[in-house]
Amino acid sequence: LTKEIVRERSADLVTRYIKKSKLRYITTGGSTGIPLGFYKWRVDDSIGHAFMVNQWNRVGYCEKSRRVILRAEVIKNNHLFLKYRYSNDWLLSSYHISKNYIEQYVNFLNRIKPEFFHVHPSTFYKFTQVLLESKLTLNFNPKSILCGSEAVYDYQRNLFENFYNTRVYSWLGLAEGTTLAGECEYSKSLHVWPQYSYVELLDENGMPVDQKGQVGTIIGTTIRSFYTPFIRYRSGDLATFGSNECSLCGRQHLIFDSVEGREQSVIIKADGREVSAHTIPHLIVHKSNVFQKIKMIQIIQEVRGEIIMKLATTSNFNEDDEEKIRSIISSACQNQLTLRFEYSDDFLKSKSGKHILFVQRIQNTDQM
């Protein structure tokens, strides 16, 4: 099963024994920025959350833990912070991270003293850089930094662990429910959850990858979603085989040494500040219904403060949809990023033929 099949035949994946009105239609930008929609059993979210909490238990998390979330989410009315009503969680704006607001962030964090940061690594890296430059200090040490949705690079992990004097914990999870793998308590290796889904790692010939250090394609099968089963689903993500048993924790199942193929890049705004390219499809998905009209998206930056949004769209995509996207991005980026639209079916690809979400053509960006 491929993303292309799901995109074209999502309704056909639903069992005939349930009405689609009882399911939830999910739209995701995915790690490549190519829109994908499918039906999901409503209980899946609760099951998925239970797995995530159990996984985070490895670094001390529980349902009552104080958690601060710093991801690609916008808070209404230009607020910096938002308390969730039915949990011990706070959402921080990722669009105000600068020297102008850092003192407000620090005062807030020192007041609530969160036990966990739940972050996009690129966003939290920027936040930590601004915090370092400010010379301000936090009066607490979190139990862990929970890094999801993007690959966390060694330079980010080292900064987080050294500066916050804590453990970084990351995982691989797909909205489709076909793969979940979280780090071991004692290492950075990712342990696949056999109770969550059935996962295979295959080479280019479709044969199992079983040699340490060998890279393969992740193939996942849902084992608990009977209304919309994904069988042998090829997500496009790559992983490096570690082993089938962990000598540190004793778990005996598939282990990834690393996950490949999830690229992380930053867009340079007009004021020189950065925003993760991952943010763009995330905003469009969660702030409008426009993403359902987009077949493929590629973001190109050639000039600071401007991006070219290259789209392949359905026939009902129109100028109003352009304006919706422009308004969403402009508002989220404090009018520091303008958009230019191009329409094409011809997109730049990696050497391996994989779609590239973001192309950065500005040189020496760290000097800007």
Side-chain angles (χ1 to χ4, degrees):
L1 185 66
T2 65
K3 288 189 175 184
E4 289 72 25
I5 295 173
V6 175
R7 194 174 295 113
E8 297 171 4
R9 305 281 300 275
S10 61
D12 295 336
L13 294 174
V14 179
T15 174
R16 69 187 68 176
Y17 301 112
I18 189 172
K19 293 181 179 179
K20 293 184 182 66
S21 59
K22 294 186 177 181
L23 302 175
R24 192 158 60 96
Y25 188 74
I26 302 295
T27 304
T28 175
S31 58
T32 62
I34 305 174
L36 184 70
F38 53 92
Y39 292 90
K40 198 171 185 179
W41 186 32
R42 296 179 186 276
V43 180
D44 278 350
D45 289 339
S46 298
I47 296 173
H49 179 70
F51 273 97
M52 291 302 299
V53 171
N54 192 287
Q55 180 170 266
W56 293 344
N57 284 165
R58 298 172 188 174
V59 287
Y61 181 87
C62 68
E63 287 279 16
K64 294 182 180 180
S65 296
R66 293 186 303 278
R67 178 176 55 142
V68 158
I69 301 169
L70 186 56
R71 295 159 60 89
E73 280 134 322
V74 179
I75 301 178
K76 291 182 178 179
N77 300 320
N78 208 33
H79 289 170
L80 269 64
F81 323 112
L82 174 68
K83 175 70 169 65
Y84 284 103
R85 189 173 183 180
Y86 298 110
S87 69
N88 207 8
D89 300 329
W90 287 263
L91 177 64
L92 268 61
S93 169
S94 60
Y95 301 99
H96 293 81
I97 299 174
S98 69
K99 62 181 181 181
N100 297 327
Y101 293 97
I102 191 62
E103 186 173 358
Q104 294 182 56
Y105 281 104
V106 170
N107 290 339
F108 174 77
L109 292 171
N110 283 338
R111 179 168 58 85
I112 68 169
K113 295 178 173 54
E115 299 169 89
F116 295 88
F117 284 99
H118 182 185
V119 302
H120 284 164
S122 61
T123 301
F124 199 56
Y125 186 75
K126 180 65 176 179
F127 174 82
T128 306
Q129 287 180 316
V130 174
L131 180 54
L132 276 166
E133 293 170 0
S134 73
K135 307 298 182 182
L136 299 171
T137 59
L138 299 177
N139 61 13
F140 65 94
N141 289 322
K143 291 182 179 180
S144 181
I145 312 296
L146 308 174
C147 293
S149 300
E150 300 173 341
V152 54
Y153 295 110
D154 286 341
Y155 72 90
Q156 296 169 328
R157 185 187 293 269
N158 292 337
L159 175 65
F160 299 160
E161 292 186 341
N162 291 331
F163 183 76
Y164 297 99
N165 191 30
T166 191
R167 160 77 192 267
V168 165
Y169 185 86
S170 70
W171 64 95
L172 168 68
L174 299 181
E176 296 91 320
T178 55
T179 305
L180 181 63
E183 288 186 7
C184 178
E185 298 94 324
Y186 308 105
S187 74
K188 295 187 294 184
S189 63
L190 291 162
H191 291 36
V192 174
W193 282 87
Q195 305 95 330
Y196 183 85
S197 62
Y198 178 69
V199 176
E200 305 167 76
L201 196 62
L202 306 180
D203 65 18
E204 61 273 15
N205 298 314
M207 300 301 293
V209 170
D210 56 8
Q211 298 298 313
K212 186 173 178 61
Q214 186 179 359
V215 176
T217 298
I218 299 173
I219 307 294
T221 298
T222 55
I223 59 175
R224 54 185 175 74
S225 182
F226 302 109
Y227 297 122
T228 54
F230 278 61
I231 302 172
R232 303 201 78 208
Y233 176 65
R234 187 186 188 101
S235 67
D237 291 306
L238 306 175
T240 302
F241 180 81
S243 67
N244 286 309
E245 180 179 357
C246 180
S247 60
L248 298 174
C249 69
R251 294 184 184 90
Q252 299 183 36
H253 49 245
L254 180 60
I255 296 172
F256 299 151
D257 276 347
S258 62
V259 174
E260 314 294 336
R262 287 192 161 190
E263 296 186 349
Q264 175 190 72
S265 301
V266 292
I267 295 168
I268 312 299
K269 297 190 291 184
D271 58 5
R273 291 159 60 190
E274 300 173 349
V275 61
S276 171
H278 173 86
T279 298
I280 303 302
H282 180 95
L283 286 169
I284 300 172
V285 166
H286 291 281
K287 297 298 176 181
S288 73
N289 60 357
V290 176
F291 217 61
Q292 299 178 23
K293 302 178 183 180
I294 299 175
K295 297 178 181 178
M296 190 173 291
I297 179 173
Q298 189 165 77
I299 301 164
I300 302 170
Q301 183 166 39
E302 298 175 338
V303 179
R304 187 170 73 173
E306 180 184 281
I307 59 172
I308 300 168
M309 188 170 288
K310 198 172 184 180
L311 301 174
T313 65
T314 60
S315 58
N316 60 339
F317 186 92
N318 54 44
E319 291 183 1
D320 288 340
D321 296 320
E322 274 192 9
E323 288 305 311
K324 285 181 183 178
I325 295 174
R326 198 173 267 116
S327 175
I328 290 168
I329 304 306
S330 178
S331 175
C333 296
Q334 293 84 46
N335 300 314
Q336 294 294 314
L337 191 65
T338 59
L339 275 69
R340 181 155 55 89
F341 290 90
E342 290 185 3
Y343 298 92
S344 175
D345 291 320
D346 184 22
F347 294 84
L348 292 172
K349 295 183 178 180
S350 67
K351 291 182 179 179
S352 62
K354 190 173 181 180
H355 179 78
I356 301 171
L357 168 63
F358 179 59
V359 180
Q360 178 56 274
R361 290 178 175 157
I362 297 178
Q363 300 299 316
N364 302 321
T365 55
D366 49 327
Q367 298 178 4
M368 303 188 69

